Amino acid sequence: MVDYAHLQPATRPVAAEDAQSRIRRIRTDRWIGYARAEAVLAALEDLLTFPKRLRMPNLLLVGPTNNGKTMIVEKFRRAHASVPAGETDAGAAIVPVLKIQMPAGPDEGRFFGAILEALGMPYGARDRVAAKQDTAVRIMRATGTRLLVIDELHNLLSGTALQQRRLLNVLRWLGNELQIPLVGVGTPEALRAIRSDEQLVNRFEPFALPLWTDDDEYRRLLSTLEAVLPLRKPSHLADPAMAGRILTAAEGVLGEIIAIVVRSAVVAVDSGTETISARMIERASFIRPSERRRVAV
Ligand SMILES: Nc1ncnc2c1ncn2[C@@H]1O[C@H](COP(=O)(O)OP(=O)(O)O)[C@@H](O)[C@H]1O
Ligand SMILES: [Mg+2]
């Protein structure tokens, strides 16, 4: 019996499995906790329990693309799972956390359409904006929505100046009307859009999810990642040389850090070396993100 001491207890039995099933495991998306993400989750939890009042606080999660923003709000939404209509006493679904994406080419009709879609409400593409708005607000009340997450908020900027102004008004109105906190998620561009509205900017507290730098937190992330990938030998990813190599190749972007390590781990299993080498990291990062999607990881 080998004890695989470099792995988390739950991963150890997996390390004994054959190459094919381990590769499948390695490629499966998983949640890796890190301090910044836990802090965001705690802040969201705080918002959810905030007592109703006229002006609810809002939060803006800001960071570069592919840096873990959507993963965090998805984890939060899952932690506050909806209850389908058939399973509640009142016969109406309960949706505590509603998450939508700001539509590209945003206008009020599409915005409320996105809400109705997220609520699973059919609507006609030709329904008037006012009708969609009324239905959206009515259903959000009926389903007990306590927090609205708007991902890809920077899509606001793809609208005309007039559309942008109108949508910012809608956001302000919606928060007041339902007395629920809004959580915006987007790139720094989203912050720029919000800043153009003097009243909104005071109500959205920015929470930054910056690029990663070579510090303790980053080393911890690598250690955690290594401990959940079922390789039979340690790779010592958190050692300075390896950590630096991965960070440079990933340009500090979380999604890239994880993709590079995952890709290397697959090579490590496939080749039978069972440990990630500097050369594997180098190769895994030669493939640009746009190409990586086409090549099977
Ligand atoms: N906490 C995490 N645990 C594991 N993988 C993560 C985590 N956060 C991000 N990732 C990886 O990074 C990729 C990009 O994350 P995502 O949340 O979509 O970024 P963003 O919304 O900032 O563009 C994800 O598909 C996932 O593979
Ligand atoms: Mg995202």
Side-chain angles (χ1 to χ4, degrees), residues 220-236:
R220 263 197 299 278
L221 176 83
L222 291 180
S223 300
T224 310
L225 193 53
E226 178 168 346
V228 298
L229 296 175
L231 298 184
R232 292 178 181 163
K233 293 182 189 161
S235 303
H236 306 291

Side-chain angles (χ1 to χ4, degrees), residues 217-293:
E217 179 67 14
Y218 168 59
R219 302 292 176 90
R220 263 197 299 278
L221 176 83
L222 291 180
S223 300
T224 310
L225 193 53
E226 178 168 346
V228 298
L229 296 175
L231 298 184
R232 292 178 181 163
K233 293 182 189 161
S235 303
H236 306 291
L237 297 182
D239 280 3
M242 279 295 249
R245 205 171 253 121
I246 296 167
L247 191 67
T248 306
E251 294 172 341
V253 178
L254 177 60
E256 285 299 303
I257 293 167
I258 291 175
I260 288 170
V261 173
V262 160
R263 211 179 141 76
S264 303
V266 169
V267 174
V269 172
D270 227 11
S271 64
T273 59
E274 296 291 337
T275 173
I276 296 173
S277 66
R279 195 167 155 66
M280 289 175 196
I281 297 289
E282 210 173 288
R283 285 232 191 125
S285 42
F286 263 140
I287 299 173
R288 271 183 291 278
S290 53
E291 295 173 63
R292 193 168 297 145
R293 252 169 255 126

